[in-house]
Amino acid sequence: MQRVRILVFNAALGALDYRVPEGMKAVPGSIVVAPLGPRQIIGVVWEPESLEAAEVPESKLRPLVEVLPAPPLPAPLRRLIEWTADYYCAPMASVARMALASSAALRGGGTVTEYRLTGTEPARLTPQRLAALDALTGEQATIRELAATAGVSEGVLRGLVSAGALEPVTVDLDRPYPAAKPDFAVPELSPDQQAAADAFVAAVRERHFRPFLLDGVTGSGKTECYFEAVAEALRQGRQTLVLLPEIALTQNFLRRFEQRFGVPPVLWHSSVKSTERRRAWRAIASGEAQVVVGARSALFLPYANLGLIVIDEAHEISFKQDDGVRYNARDVAVIRAKFEAVPVILASATPALESMQLAENGTYERIELPDRFGGASLPSIEILDLREEQPERGRWLAPRLMKEIEARLERGEQSLLFLNRRGYAPLTLCRSCGHRFQCPNCTAWLVEHRFSRRLACHHCGHEVPVPELCPECGEADCLVACGPGVERIADEVRDLLPAARIAQATSDTLNTPERIADFVTAAEEGAIDVIVGTQLVTKGYHFPQLTLVGVVDADLGLEGGDLRAGERTYQQIAQVAGRAGRAQKPGQVLIQTRHPEAAVIAALAAGDRDAFYEAETQGRRDAGAPPFGRWAAIIVSSEHEAEAREAARMIGGSRPAHPDIAILGPAPAPLSLLRGRYRYRLLINARRSAQLQKVLREWLGPLQFPRGVRVGIDVDPYSFV
Ligand code: ADP
Ligand code: ZN
C-alpha cells in the first residue's frame, strides 16, 4: 500500500495522510483531490519527513479521489513554500495556495466560452442595456467578468445574448503563445551597458545562483541591460520571471518588451481575467510561457524551467505584502533564485538600504550605470523654501514654481507635479462647529473627492456623498477643505493657466490598463502640458518632453517618522526627479519644503546620494534597525475593543525574556481601528543572531485566543501603523 502525506489548503488542518489507490500515480508535488468528511478538498503531495501530520493507522487511511491533470509542483518550489512559511511564520497552506492561484487551471486545458459585442443593437434598450453596450466595447470575457466590468447583473447580459447583441466565442485554453525572438531588435549598448549585459548573460549561461544589484541612475537604460539576459534565457529555452512593483507599470513594460522581442510577454497580475490566468498558469507550469511579467503574485507560480529572475524598481515597498501572508516579494525572489539555482537581478536607481548593505558586504554583485543613456544629463535640483517663498493664501504652489510651469507651457514642454495624496483635500471640516469627517470603520479622516463628489476612506473604501448640511450642527454650505490633494493642485494650475492641458495621474484616474495606456500615449505625444500625480508616476516612465518636476510637499513623507521615512522620501523624490530631462532637453527639479535643513532634503539638493546612504546607514546601525538588527510586529485585532486589548495583554504577559530580543508594547496601533477592527501592536527588535522565528513560534504557539481575535505576525515589517 502506498501512503502519502498531503498539504491541504486549509491552514487549520495542515497535513493529512491518505492512501493511494491501485493504479494511481502520486509523486511529491502532485496536485490531488482527497476526501475530507463528506467533502472533497484539494491538496499537494508532500515529502512526509518535512511535514508533520497526526498518526493514523493504515487501516483508517482513506483513498485519494484523483490526481489532477497539472504538472506536480517542482521540488525547488516546494522548498520555497517551506522556507517562506518558516521565515514569515505563516501557515504553509496559505503560502502554497499562492502557487495554485488559478484553481480552474488545475482541471486541465480544453475550452471556455467568452462573449463579445456583435455590433447589433437589441430591439429593446433599457438604461442598463445601454450602459452595458457602452462599457463593453472591445471587451471579451466570461459573462461574470463582463458583468463586473459593466456594473450590471449577469441577467442583463444573458438578455443581451438572447437579443443577439452579445455572441459567444470559444477560447482554447492551451493555444500556444507566440515565440519571443531573442534577436528581434538588438540595441547598440553603451560600453557600461555592455559590461553589465555581458555579466548577466554569462550568469544565465552558468546556471547557478548569482544575485546582482543593478545600480543605475534614472534613464541609464537598466531595462536594455537586463533584456540581454532575458534574450540569453530565451536562447537557452529557459523561463524568465520579471517582477514589477505595480500593475500600472506592466503596460509600459509590455510595449518595450514587444519592441525588443517581437511579441508581448505573458502577463500575470490580479486584473488579468480568469481565462487568461488559466491559460498563463498552464503555460507557466508546462514551461511553455517564456517570459512572465507580473506583480508580486507571479513569484510563487510553478515555473517548470526557470532560468532568470529580474526584480525591477527593486526598492519599491509595494513588493511587501501586508495582508494574508505577510512577505516581501523582493526577498523571497532572491531565495527562489537560490533554490532554483539561477541568477537574479535587482534593478534600481535608489536601492533599498538593505540591498546596498548586501552589495557592500559582497553578497550581491554590484553593477553600476553611473550615466544616463545617450548623453542626457541628470536634472538640476533646487530647493524652494516655502517659509521664504510663500504661495498665495489658499494656494500650494510657490510663485516661482508656477512661473516655471508657465515657461514650459510657452515652450511646449511638459511639467510634472508630484504630491502623494489622492483626492481634493485630506481633511474636511465644518466651519461652524468644527466637526471633522471621520471614517466609521477606521482611525482616519475621510478624503474629499470633488470630481466624484464623495468623501472616501483610503483604508477601507467606505464612501459617502458629500453632505449638503453638516451632520453635527445642521449648517448648510459650511464644509471647508483642509490641505491639498492632487485634485486641488490640478484646480490651482487650471485657475492660473486656463490654457494648460492637465492630466491627473492617480489610482483613481488610471485604474484600468486601457486608461494607463491612453495616459502614457498622450504624455509621450505631448498632448498633456501638466501632469499632477501621486507616486504612481514617479517611476518607470520616460516622457521625452518632460523637463520640469515640482515636488509639492517634500515634508509629507517625513511626518510619520517610521523607520524608513527618510529612505522612502529620498527614493520617491529621487525617482520623480528622474522623470525630468530624459531626452535632449535638460531637466529641472524644484522641491518645495519647510525643512531644507533635513538630512534627506539636503542630500537631494546636493545630489549627494552617498552622503545620504552613509548617514542613513549609521542611523540604522545605532538603532539596531534593519539590516543591522531585525524587527517583527505582532498585530492583534478584534471587532471588540476589550477583546483585542485583553488578547494583546495576554501576549504581552507571556513575553519571553531573551538577551538578544527587546519587546515593546502592547500598545494601541497608530491605526487603532481599521476596517471595523480594533488593533493592538507589539514590536520586537532582535539582534541578527537571535532566532527570531523560533522565539515567536514558541511564544505564540501555545496561546489560545477567542474566535474573534486575529493575531498576525509581520516579520521584517514595512508598515508601522
Ligand atoms: P532606466 O530604467 O534605467 O531609468 P530605461 O531603461 O527606461 O532607463 O532607459 C531610458 C531610455 O533610454 C529608454 O527610452 C530606453 O529605450 C533608452 N535606451 C537605453 N539604452 C538604450 C540603448 N542602448 N539603445 C537605445 N535606446 C536606449
Ligand atoms: Zn475606513
Side-chain angles (χ1 to χ4, degrees), residues 399-478:
R400 187 146 65 97
L401 178 52
M402 267 328 292
K403 230 193 279 139
E404 293 293 348
I405 300 174
E406 196 172 0
R408 295 307 184 290
L409 190 63
E410 277 160 16
R411 298 207 294 265
E413 296 172 10
Q414 264 166 359
S415 308
L416 165 63
L417 294 174
F418 166 63
L419 176 65
N420 209 14
R421 248 192 205 152
R422 291 156 51 208
Y424 187 82
L427 168 66
T428 303
L429 52 77
C430 168
R431 187 184 296 121
S432 104
C433 75
H435 174 72
R436 295 166 168 215
F437 287 83
Q438 195 173 2
C439 176
N441 313 317
C442 307
T443 318
W445 306 125
L446 292 178
V447 176
E448 181 183 358
H449 286 248
R450 205 158 269 198
F451 183 71
S452 57
R453 290 206 237 134
R454 298 182 89 75
L455 292 170
C457 172
H458 288 176
H459 294 283
C460 72
H462 173 81
E463 273 194 359
V464 288
V466 177
E468 306 205 340
L469 309 177
C470 170
E472 193 65 29
C473 69
E475 275 281 309
D477 295 324
C478 61

Side-chain angles (χ1 to χ4, degrees), residues 156-229:
V156 171
L157 298 188
R158 295 203 191 284
L160 285 175
V161 176
S162 313
L166 277 176
E167 65 181 356
V169 188
T170 303
V171 179
D172 176 5
L173 284 173
D174 286 338
R175 72 187 183 288
Y177 288 95
K181 302 172 192 69
D183 302 312
F184 182 77
V186 184
E188 203 169 306
L189 298 180
S190 72
D192 280 343
Q193 288 180 329
Q194 192 64 52
D198 289 348
F200 299 152
V201 167
V204 172
R205 285 200 189 127
E206 280 165 21
R207 301 190 174 199
H208 46 69
F209 175 58
R210 253 177 93 177
F212 292 97
L213 177 63
L214 175 56
D215 179 3
V217 298
T218 55
S220 56
K222 295 184 284 295
T223 318
E224 264 69 21
C225 297
Y226 73 68
F227 270 177
E228 292 317 295

Side-chain angles (χ1 to χ4, degrees), residues 118-151:
T118 56
T120 313
E121 283 241 325
R124 199 169 57 83
L125 270 178
T126 62
Q128 282 194 316
R129 283 186 168 191
L130 265 176
L133 292 177
D134 200 38
L136 298 184
T137 311
E139 300 278 338
Q140 177 182 314
T142 59
I143 287 281
R144 183 194 290 187
E145 285 167 332
L146 291 180
T149 308

Side-chain angles (χ1 to χ4, degrees), residues 522-538:
E524 281 176 351
E525 288 173 349
I528 299 172
D529 300 313
V530 183
I531 301 166
V532 186
T534 57
Q535 50 81 30
L536 206 62
V537 285
T538 54

Side-chain angles (χ1 to χ4, degrees), residues 34 81 139 153 174 304 316 324 340 352 362 390 434 444 452 474 526 604 629 670:
I81 291 170
E139 300 278 338
S153 72
D174 286 338
E316 278 293 323
E340 303 271 358
Q390 287 179 0
S452 57
L604 282 161

